[in-house]
Structures are given as structure tokens and as C-alpha cells.
Amino acid sequence: MSKKLLATLFATVFAVTTIAGCGGGSSAPATTESEPAATESTESADTTEATETTEAAETTDAAEATESTDAASGKQTDGKNLPTLTTEPMTITLWDIATEDPGKSTQEAAVQRFMADYPNITVNQVHQQNDNYKQQLVVAMSSGQAPNMYIHWGGGPMAEYYKSGFVNDITDMYAKYDHPDFIDAAVAQSTYDGKMLAIPFGGLSGCDVFYNKTIFADLGLEVPTTIDELEEVCAKLKENGITPFALANASKWTGSMYYMYLVARHSGNAEFDAAYTQENGGSFTSEAFIYAAEKIQDWVKKGYFPDGVNSLTADDNQDRALLYDGSAAMMLHGSWQVSGIRADSEEWYNENVGVFRFPEDAEAKAKGVPQNVEIGTAIGNGFSFNCFKEDGSVDQDMLDACYVLATQYYNDDTYNQTQVANGTIPSIKGFEQGIDDPCNKVVVDVFFNASNVQLWYDQYLPASVTEVHKNCMTELFGLEKTPEEIGQEQDEAMQKALAEE
């Protein structure tokens, strides 16, 4: 275990325990801390190629052994190439952020199916509040109370958990045993330094603009395709007493979505990648970051966001409430909002909600800047495993059980069909073909036609930089600091994080 890394993680969390944080994305996303992993299909392809030969050589013997052991057991894992689980009593502590339906009941059902098949294994499933989750997880790690199985969004934090000694390397297990046929981007997001560290389960999460079709039709508004057109729509909405954007920025990662997209549209991924490494003049004060921050502050001054935007919370769905009562017309958010809005009122959703991709920067496009960088995550969430004995050796019995739970129950047909029915798209090849929800069709089209999918900054950046970045979003939307000052804050945090690696 890296004591220095853990101390750094804990110090960061201890300093911000009163601050709400943690993006819901959460997340498509090039996801290694040391490499821009939002485009890392190459790494996942290498991993796949490396494992195919091993799988072909071992599958027959392992499958025969499994069948002979469990063929008549009645388990849904019967006949599959999986480790044989212990028959001794075992308790697994699992942390997630499924505090509301449909996710809560879907995930609880997966755990119940597993425990029905393996009654000697008890899964202590703990639902944590999203905004405080990462802080609570690091505090648990620092005090020796880390869960055996826990969700995350990939990116820099996943790498730090691994380097601090709280993630099992499951590369060999993934090569040897059955698992879903995850899309390459999801495998890449679950990989760090060539090692498979997580099992995806949350589905694709694109980031797009939800809008009220009824309001747009009543005012004769067209879906904007450029940022200039978007601003014209915003001005028209304001003239009619409607707030253009529903935003609850107390959570901070919600405001970051606007910042990220404006940076991406103005420079592709070039300036963010350079700022991340702080090399060759890379800086969070470069042109695209200043452009994005100035644009946001201009929109704040024009009233394009709700009053008290920094006091409204996304976890309480205060942003969605502004859409429901018609006081706001658009909301830039993750595609998990499809299932959330449908669960609140499917009739209202069907009648009123549409989706469009974040508009393009026409001026940047004319200069040759790519406009098909999208924000989001290929895994939504992934499960990593913390299965170690007191002496630091791997607790293989527990690790086997966690692997089976994550790959065969959180990713079985029942789980995935429920996800699709609730508007979530599994990160498994082929599921995109069966999407019939019109909003999710847009999300999938945008996602699969992207040149790359940039993981949310608050998941991609190192943990210490993430907290600074999120605090900067409060300062940005609160007009507390200038774009240059906000960029300098992020540069200082990034330089410090790089120096501590």
C-alpha cells in the first residue's frame, strides 16, 4: 500500500468534508490518471487480443470443471466458466450510490438473486449519498474500514485507489473467466497501467441537452445547432419569462458540464490534454478555458441560469423540478436523467422531453477545430474489489465471489433488461441496437459518432485537483473570481499533484 498516496487522498478529503462533491456521471471515459484515457480503445483492444488466446486455451477445461460441480445446482451461473465459490459462511460489504429508484431496486434485486444462489454468502449492501460518496470512501480506506466491493467512475480516483492498495488486479481473472462482452471503451475505462481494475455495470452515460419540446413549440423555437443559435434561444426564452437552463450547482460537477463542453467545442481535446500534463505551455488559463469561463459568466449575468444556482442541489432533483413546473426550458445533464424523469412521470416525459447534442462553436469549426468531442462515460459506474487478508495477501475466496456477483448478477439479462426498460443503455455490445426510446436514440447516436468521449473532469482529474476544480465551479457561477484566477487555481493544483506522483 502506498502510504504517501493514501495520506494525500485523506488530507484532500479531510480538508473538504463540509463540501458536497462527486460527479454523477458519472462517466464516459478515457480513464487512466497518467494517460488521456477518454480515447483509449487501443489499450482495451490490446488487452482483448492478449486475453483471447488464454481464454481459448482454458475455457474448455474450466467449463467442464464448473459444469461437473454445479450442473444440477439450479444456480443461474450453472454451466458457465466461473470460479467455484466457497461453501463456508462469508460476508461481503458492498457500497453503491443507489439511493433512489429505479437504480436502488434494480441493484438490490441483483444482490438478492446472488444471495439466493449462494445462501452462505451475505452481501451487506450500503447505499451512500452521491455527493459525499468519494469523501466517505477515502475516509473508510484511511481507517481500515474500506468496503470489499465498491463503485466508482474510473479515472484518476480509480488509479489512486489502486496505487494506495485498495483495488485487486483482476486482469488474470478477466482473461480466464466468463464476463459480458463489454464495449472497448468500457474496458479501457476499467483499465489502468495495463491492468483490469473494475467491472462495468452502470451503462453508457452521454451528456446532452434535455429540453421542453412544448415550450419550444409554443415559442416557435428551433433546436440550436451552434452556440450562437443557442444564445438566440436563451434570449427568446428570457423575453418570455422562462429561465433558459435548469442548473443545480451546489453539487459543483453539474456546472462543470457547461465548462467542459465550451472548452471542448472551442479546442477539441487539445487544450485540456495540454493543461492536464502542464507541458508545452499547457494551462487552464489557455484560450479555450478563458473562453468557456467568460461565456458562462456572461450567461450568469444575463440570467440564463436560476437565481441562487449555487444553492440548488442535483441530488434533490431541484434542477429537474424547474423543468417540471415550466420555469426552465433546458437542462444540460447526463443521460441517466432519462430514467429519472420517466420514473417521475412517464406521461409527462413522453409529451414534453426531447434531447439534442451540445451545439457547435461555428467560429472554431471554421478554423478546423473538431466538433464531435462529447462528454460522458462508457461505464457509468464500475465495481472494484478490495479483497485482502490482514497480512496483505489476496483473499481469493472473497475475490471470486465479488467477481461472480459483478459479472453475472449485476450484468445478467434480468439486470440489463431492467436497465433498458428504465432508459439506461448497458455498456455491452449489441444493446445499442434495441433502443427504442427517442431520447436515448439521440444519446446513443451522439455517443457512437463521437471522435472521443471525454470523461467528466471531476472523475478524470486527480482527486486533489478535482476538489479545486469543483470549488472553481462555485466561484465561476457565483461570479466570485475572474476566468484567469480560476484557471490559475487549477494550474497550481495540477502542478502540485504532478509533483507528488
Side-chain angles (χ1 to χ4, degrees), residues 303-315:
Y304 291 176
F305 300 104
D307 292 337
V309 65
N310 282 339
S311 64
L312 301 176
T313 59
D315 272 1

Side-chain angles (χ1 to χ4, degrees), residues 103-116:
K104 184 173 183 287
S105 59
T106 302
Q107 294 187 37
E108 288 178 350
V111 169
Q112 292 301 318
R113 289 194 300 278
F114 173 80
M115 290 195 295

Side-chain angles (χ1 to χ4, degrees), residues 278 284 465 468 487-497:
Q278 293 284 297
F284 288 98
V465 184
V468 172
Q488 290 165 3
E489 280 189 75
Q490 295 176 97
D491 277 342
E492 291 171 5
M494 194 72 232
Q495 290 162 10
K496 182 178 180 180

Side-chain angles (χ1 to χ4, degrees), residues 290-331:
I290 298 302
Y291 164 83
E294 287 179 343
K295 185 68 70 176
I296 287 171
Q297 293 196 329
D298 179 54
W299 290 354
V300 170
K301 293 172 184 176
K302 290 178 177 176
Y304 291 176
F305 300 104
D307 292 337
V309 65
N310 282 339
S311 64
L312 301 176
T313 59
D315 272 1
D316 293 332
N317 298 320
Q318 291 180 316
D319 40 12
R320 282 211 308 247
L322 298 175
L323 286 181
Y324 295 162
D325 66 15
S327 59
M330 297 180 288
M331 179 176 70

Side-chain angles (χ1 to χ4, degrees), residues 57-390:
E58 297 176 349
T59 297
T60 301
D61 291 343
E64 289 176 355
T66 302
E67 288 174 7
S68 64
T69 302
D70 290 334
S73 71
K75 297 181 176 68
Q76 69 179 58
T77 50
D78 286 351
K80 294 187 177 181
N81 174 27
L82 295 166
T84 300
L85 302 192
T86 181
T87 57
E88 296 297 317
M90 175 187 292
T91 297
I92 296 169
T93 299
L94 181 157
W95 280 18
D96 60 39
I97 55 168
T99 57
E100 62 178 56
D101 283 331
K104 184 173 183 287
S105 59
T106 302
Q107 294 187 37
E108 288 178 350
V111 169
Q112 292 301 318
R113 289 194 300 278
F114 173 80
M115 290 195 295
D117 280 352
Y118 299 95
N120 61 300
I121 302 176
T122 299
V123 180
N124 178 24
Q125 186 174 18
V126 181
H127 304 303
Q128 300 281 5
Q129 190 71 20
N130 177 38
D131 273 354
N132 298 319
Y133 175 75
K134 282 196 293 186
Q135 287 90 339
Q136 291 174 342
L137 182 59
V138 174
V139 169
M141 290 175 175
S142 71
S143 61
Q145 302 297 316
N148 308 116
M149 180 171 174
Y150 57 91
I151 73 101
H152 55 67
W153 296 263
M158 180 184 74
E160 291 179 7
Y161 304 150
Y162 169 70
K163 289 187 285 185
S164 296
F166 293 98
V167 179
N168 293 99
D169 179 355
I170 58 171
T171 307
D172 291 342
M173 295 183 73
Y174 193 80
K176 181 176 182 179
Y177 296 121
D178 283 353
H179 52 75
D181 189 13
F182 295 113
I183 63 173
D184 290 347
V187 175
Q189 274 191 246
S190 304
T191 303
Y192 170 75
D193 194 27
K195 301 175 179 67
M196 191 75 176
L197 301 181
I199 296 297
F201 75 94
L204 308 175
S205 294
C207 183
D208 299 283
V209 182
F210 293 81
Y211 73 105
N212 188 314
K213 297 184 295 185
T214 303
I215 291 176
F216 268 54
D218 289 346
L219 297 180
L221 299 174
E222 299 289 335
V223 169
T225 59
T226 68
I227 292 173
D228 288 342
E229 291 175 357
L230 177 63
E231 291 181 313
E232 292 173 3
V233 167
C234 290
K236 184 71 171 180
L237 289 166
K238 280 295 294 181
E239 289 173 8
N240 286 273
I242 299 171
T243 301
F245 298 111
L247 172 62
N249 197 44
S251 303
K252 305 176 184 181
W253 53 266
T254 43
S256 178
M257 295 179 184
Y258 292 84
Y259 185 69
M260 291 175 65
Y261 255 129
L262 288 166
V263 170
R265 292 292 182 260
H266 203 68
S267 71
N269 264 105
E271 291 188 36
F272 173 72
D273 289 346
Y276 187 91
T277 62
Q278 293 284 297
E279 295 177 350
N280 301 318
S283 169
F284 288 98
T285 63
S286 66
E287 181 184 353
F289 290 101
I290 298 302
Y291 164 83
E294 287 179 343
K295 185 68 70 176
I296 287 171
Q297 293 196 329
D298 179 54
W299 290 354
V300 170
K301 293 172 184 176
K302 290 178 177 176
Y304 291 176
F305 300 104
D307 292 337
V309 65
N310 282 339
S311 64
L312 301 176
T313 59
D315 272 1
D316 293 332
N317 298 320
Q318 291 180 316
D319 40 12
R320 282 211 308 247
L322 298 175
L323 286 181
Y324 295 162
D325 66 15
S327 59
M330 297 180 288
M331 179 176 70
L332 178 64
H333 224 299
S335 55
W336 57 84
Q337 291 292 340
V338 170
S339 60
I341 297 173
R342 282 176 55 175
D344 287 343
S345 175
E346 187 162 3
E347 181 180 0
W348 189 89
Y349 169 82
N350 291 333
E351 291 179 357
N352 295 286
V353 179
V355 173
F356 61 88
R357 70 186 292 262
F358 195 88
E360 298 180 350
D361 183 333
E363 184 176 344
K365 184 176 183 179
K367 296 178 181 178
V369 175
Q371 295 295 304
N372 56 349
V373 173
E374 306 300 338
I375 308 302
T377 174
I379 63 174
N381 293 126
F383 270 123
S384 281
F385 312 127
N386 173 47
C387 301
F388 297 99
K389 299 178 181 178
E390 289 186 4

